[in-house]
């Protein structure tokens, strides 16, 4: 995968091929009015689905194993899930959906998550089925891939939506907050839980930051804190699917499944901060660049000063020209 001079990744080889296929079709769709808004909505969904491909594949095999894997199989279900997770990761790299550079941070997600899993299962925060040999203590190895799926989503959404940031805080400061959050996941079993203090710190550090993102023809923006909350919510939904499938269970779910408590959203919100800090290791946050022409021949450039959720309306005469090679579902340089 190629990178821009500032270190930001461009589309992978496979994504450029998909980009070429979709670009011509999408360029013929309406540009303005309800049709134009609907086009942006459809492309947003396609890009999000493409960014979630690792996590979606993991959830699919977890559900399939829950529904159809034989209880008396010689190969334990958890071991089968681990083998399938490794196969998905290999396919992602071999199919050039992820680069080796991105794989490094995904592996780091895996390690950070596995260490937490070892501790949390030891103290009884949640449990896994005790079957299988591909495990560390009470933790089957597929569990680390669930954290890796979050990392995969973040590195992919970064380039697919060409994320840019206004007033992004210093990375050293975000790293300090992330380390404090990670330590609290362990310390709160022995010391007072300071998650609300940490959430306050996150709000202070990231509160002024605005995220700019390109969907198709227009660039949009939203507060970065809102993006954290939305992603945390969808991870919580995925966790409900996983616990329903008996991938793991909280103590209150052992006698019968029920939705995961909404209070877990605070944990996922804080985990988002750790995740974002890890991603900035390979892709440092960049400010908006109104003069940059994204790869793929887009005819509209980024803009600033829009209210949340509003498209750009002010473009130069050159930008108002209709280009048949507009940006595609696969996204522009990230």
């Amino acid at each position: 995968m190629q990178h821009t001079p500032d270190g930001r990744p461009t589309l992978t080889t496979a994504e450029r091929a998909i980009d070429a296929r979709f670009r011509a079709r999408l360029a013929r769709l309406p540009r303005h009015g309800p049709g134009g808004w609907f086009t942006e909505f459809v492309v947003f969904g396609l890009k999000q689905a493409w960014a979630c491909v690792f996590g979606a594949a993991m959830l699919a095999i977890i559900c399939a194993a829950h529904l159809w894997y034989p209880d008396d199989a010689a190969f334990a279900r958890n071991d089968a899930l681990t083998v399938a997770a490794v196969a998905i990761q290999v396919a992602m790299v071999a199919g050039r959906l992820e680069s080796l550079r991105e794989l490094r941070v995904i592996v780091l997600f895996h390690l950070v998550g596995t260490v937490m899993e070892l501790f949390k299962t030891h103290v009884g925060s949640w449990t896994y089925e005790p079957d299988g040999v591909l495990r560390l203590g009470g933790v089957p190895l597929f569990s680390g891939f669930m954290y890796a799926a979050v990392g995969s989503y973040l590195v992919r959404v970064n380039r697919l939506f060409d994320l840019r940031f206004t007033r992004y805080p210093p990375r050293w400061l975000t790293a300090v907050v992330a380390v404090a959050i990670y330590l609290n996941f362990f310390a709160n079993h022995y010391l007072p839980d300071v998650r609300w203090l940490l959430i306050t710190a996150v709000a202070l550090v990231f509160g002024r930051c605005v995220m700019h993102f390109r969907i198709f023809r227009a660039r949009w923006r939203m507060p970065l804190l809102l993006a954290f909350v939305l992603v945390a919510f969808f991870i919580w939904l995925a966790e409900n699917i996983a616990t329903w499938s008996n991938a793991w269970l909280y103590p209150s779910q052992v006698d019968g499944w029920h939705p995961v408590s909404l209070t877990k959203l605070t944990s996922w919100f804080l985990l988002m901060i750790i995740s974002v800090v890890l991603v900035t290791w390979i892709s440092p946050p960049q400010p908006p660049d109104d003069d940059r022409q994204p790869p793929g021949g887009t005819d509209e450039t980024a803009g600033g000063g829009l209210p949340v959720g509003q498209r750009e309306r002010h473009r130069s005469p050159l930008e108002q020209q209709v280009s048949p090679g507009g940006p595609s579902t696969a996204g522009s340089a990230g």
Side-chain angles (χ1 to χ4, degrees):
M1 186 178 67
Q2 298 177 350
H3 290 76
T4 61
D6 60 11
R8 294 177 60 83
T10 62
L11 301 181
T12 65
T13 303
E15 287 168 343
R16 285 196 295 271
I18 296 172
D19 184 80
R21 289 177 179 271
F22 276 89
R23 185 183 304 149
R25 293 179 177 86
L26 289 171
R28 294 195 293 267
L29 296 178
R31 301 176 58 84
H32 305 289
W37 287 83
F38 181 72
T39 299
E40 292 284 312
F41 175 77
V42 170
V43 174
F44 178 82
L46 291 172
K47 281 188 173 185
Q48 285 289 345
W50 188 240
C52 292
V53 64
F54 190 115
M58 284 293 302
L59 279 180
I61 63 171
I62 286 173
C63 289
H66 174 63
L67 294 172
W68 299 301
Y69 200 79
D71 292 334
D72 57 351
F75 198 55
R77 187 186 77 148
N78 282 348
D79 289 347
L81 289 175
T82 299
V83 172
V86 172
I88 292 171
Q89 183 64 82
V90 170
M92 293 285 289
V93 177
R96 298 183 179 181
L97 303 182
E98 289 173 351
S99 70
L100 292 177
R101 179 185 175 97
E102 291 173 337
L103 182 61
R104 291 187 311 195
V105 74
I106 291 171
V107 169
L108 186 56
F109 270 88
H110 196 300
L111 295 176
V112 168
T114 299
V115 171
M116 187 185 299
E117 289 281 331
L118 288 168
F119 176 80
K120 290 292 190 178
T121 54
H122 175 72
V123 298
S125 295
W126 55 80
T127 58
Y128 293 90
E129 291 291 335
D131 60 340
V133 296
L134 301 178
R135 60 194 302 115
L136 291 174
V139 181
L141 296 183
F142 80 83
S143 67
F145 287 93
M146 300 303 294
Y147 294 87
V150 176
S152 175
Y153 168 79
L154 290 175
V155 297
R156 289 166 63 76
V157 81
N158 187 41
R159 66 167 181 268
L160 294 176
F161 285 89
D162 187 21
L163 299 186
R164 300 278 169 152
F165 303 91
T166 300
R167 297 185 296 275
Y168 194 89
R171 281 195 291 168
W172 68 265
L173 181 58
T174 65
V176 169
V177 175
V179 169
I181 291 170
Y182 191 66
L183 291 177
N184 186 64
F185 279 125
F186 299 86
N188 63 14
H189 291 276
Y190 309 103
L191 300 171
D193 188 351
V194 295
R195 71 177 61 199
W196 290 107
L197 180 61
L198 292 169
I199 289 174
T200 302
V202 169
L204 291 173
V205 171
F206 289 95
R208 298 178 64 248
C209 183
V210 175
M211 182 180 72
H212 303 251
F213 57 100
R214 179 178 299 281
I215 298 180
F216 180 39
R217 295 187 177 108
R219 184 171 280 282
W220 305 66
R221 72 175 191 171
M222 72 164 62
L224 185 57
L225 285 176
L226 176 59
F228 290 160
V229 171
L230 291 174
V231 175
F233 175 73
F234 282 100
I235 295 176
W236 176 81
L237 290 179
E239 183 181 38
N240 275 281
I241 297 173
T243 54
W244 173 83
S245 302
N246 286 329
W248 67 87
L249 292 173
Y250 291 102
S252 64
Q253 295 175 317
V254 172
D255 295 329
W257 183 85
H258 59 78
V260 177
S261 171
L262 280 170
T263 59
K264 288 294 181 183
L265 279 172
T266 59
S267 297
W268 288 116
F269 176 83
L270 292 172
L271 182 67
M272 280 299 305
I273 308 307
I274 299 173
S275 304
V276 168
V277 169
L278 291 176
V279 169
T280 60
W281 173 49
I282 65 166
S283 184
Q286 299 295 323
D289 185 356
D290 293 350
D291 299 325
R292 187 180 59 83
Q293 184 87 348
T298 180
D299 57 323
E300 299 182 25
T301 58
L306 340 167
V308 175
Q310 180 176 332
R311 292 197 305 172
E312 293 183 48
R313 300 182 184 276
H314 303 289
R315 295 172 290 153
S316 68
L318 177 62
E319 291 171 332
Q320 294 174 9
Q321 297 176 9
V322 177
S323 170
S328 75
T329 58
S332 55

